Amino acid sequence: RPYVRLKVAASLDGRTAMASGESKWVTGEAARADVQAWRARSCAIVTGAETVLIDDPAMTVRDPAFSFEGVIRQPLRVVLDSSLRVPASAGLFAEPGSTLLVYTNGTPAHESAEYLQLPAVNGRVDLEALLKALGERTCYEVLVDAGPTLIGAFLESGLWDELLMYVAPKLLGSDARPLAQLPFARMLEAIEAKIAHRDALGDDLRLRLVPA
């Protein structure tokens, strides 16, 4: 399967957005510029339908520093949209590069993207089947830039190789959204990681973590 890198930007109290979904901007310009480099080296960027519906992200590489002969290679945009909720008006369909909508049930309704139907696990796209399919498309590095539900699913399933975490020196409060949905009740359920690298980016901290 591909090398899976999870990316999150969080506050000191582990929050990624306000309860309303507002998230611009948790981290500063230096951290956001660094993300461009990780996108540029990735074969695919994976996100969830909820993120597309709330944030309408471009999911592209925009920094001209990563262009070759005036052209920026865009990673494959992969949206996990189990029941095909993302409308044709979503901004990412107008961006350069290709978009793959991965679903489990329903009928494709527009021609703005390529579609891939995969089996479901607990009502969501089977992540193991997803990674197998991406591997078959010669996607060697995958960047998961998503909300707490999808990030939590990758962490809980153990289908990750690195967690790229940007930590901002601010507190968003207890009502803000967590970086991952992990409804654990006991300490022994905790997911342990090892800090492989730590770097300062402006006022923010970048942690690169790997499974312990």
Side-chain angles (χ1 to χ4, degrees):
R1 65 167 176 79
Y3 185 93
V4 177
R5 181 177 287 114
L6 311 179
K7 173 261 172 181
V8 295
S11 60
L12 285 175
D13 48 351
R15 305 291 171 165
T16 59
M18 305 308 294
S20 63
E22 179 188 357
S23 61
K24 295 182 179 178
W25 294 103
V26 175
T27 54
E29 290 185 9
R32 298 198 299 274
D34 189 66
V35 172
Q36 288 286 299
W38 295 102
R39 285 187 178 186
R41 65 173 287 161
S42 301
C43 300
I45 302 175
V46 177
T47 196
E50 201 67 27
T51 296
V52 175
L53 294 172
I54 294 174
D55 296 337
D56 197 23
M59 294 175 64
T60 55
V61 179
R62 298 179 292 276
D63 191 335
F66 301 108
S67 65
F68 178 71
E69 296 183 345
V71 178
I72 299 176
R73 181 197 65 84
Q74 296 296 339
L76 175 68
R77 294 183 292 271
V78 181
V79 181
L80 305 193
D81 186 12
S82 297
S83 53
L84 297 174
R85 294 183 296 151
V86 174
S89 58
L92 57 84
F93 295 127
E95 297 291 341
S98 302
T99 302
L100 177 67
L101 284 180
V102 183
Y103 69 106
T104 60
N105 61 82
T107 303
H110 55 82
E111 300 179 355
S112 303
E114 179 185 352
Y115 290 84
L116 174 65
Q117 186 172 19
L118 291 177
V121 174
N122 297 323
R124 301 182 183 278
V125 171
D126 182 334
L127 296 183
E128 288 195 27
L130 170 70
L131 294 178
K132 182 175 185 293
L134 292 178
E136 291 171 349
R137 297 175 68 111
T138 65
C139 287
Y140 302 117
E141 283 193 29
V142 170
L143 180 68
V144 181
D145 191 348
T149 300
L150 189 53
I151 291 292
F154 271 97
L155 287 169
E156 193 168 13
S157 64
L159 295 173
W160 64 288
D161 300 287
E162 183 175 349
L163 173 59
L164 191 62
M165 184 170 177
Y166 298 88
V167 184
K170 61 183 66 171
L171 301 170
L172 299 188
S174 57
D175 290 337
R177 298 184 179 187
L179 66 88
Q181 289 287 355
L182 294 167
F184 296 157
R186 298 175 296 166
M187 184 63 73
L188 60 82
E189 295 177 283
I191 296 172
E192 295 189 15
K194 176 183 177 181
I195 298 175
H197 301 278
R198 56 175 70 83
D199 302 280
L201 296 172
D203 292 330
D204 302 321
L205 180 65
R206 184 189 67 191
L207 300 176
R208 292 176 61 187
L209 303 105
V210 295

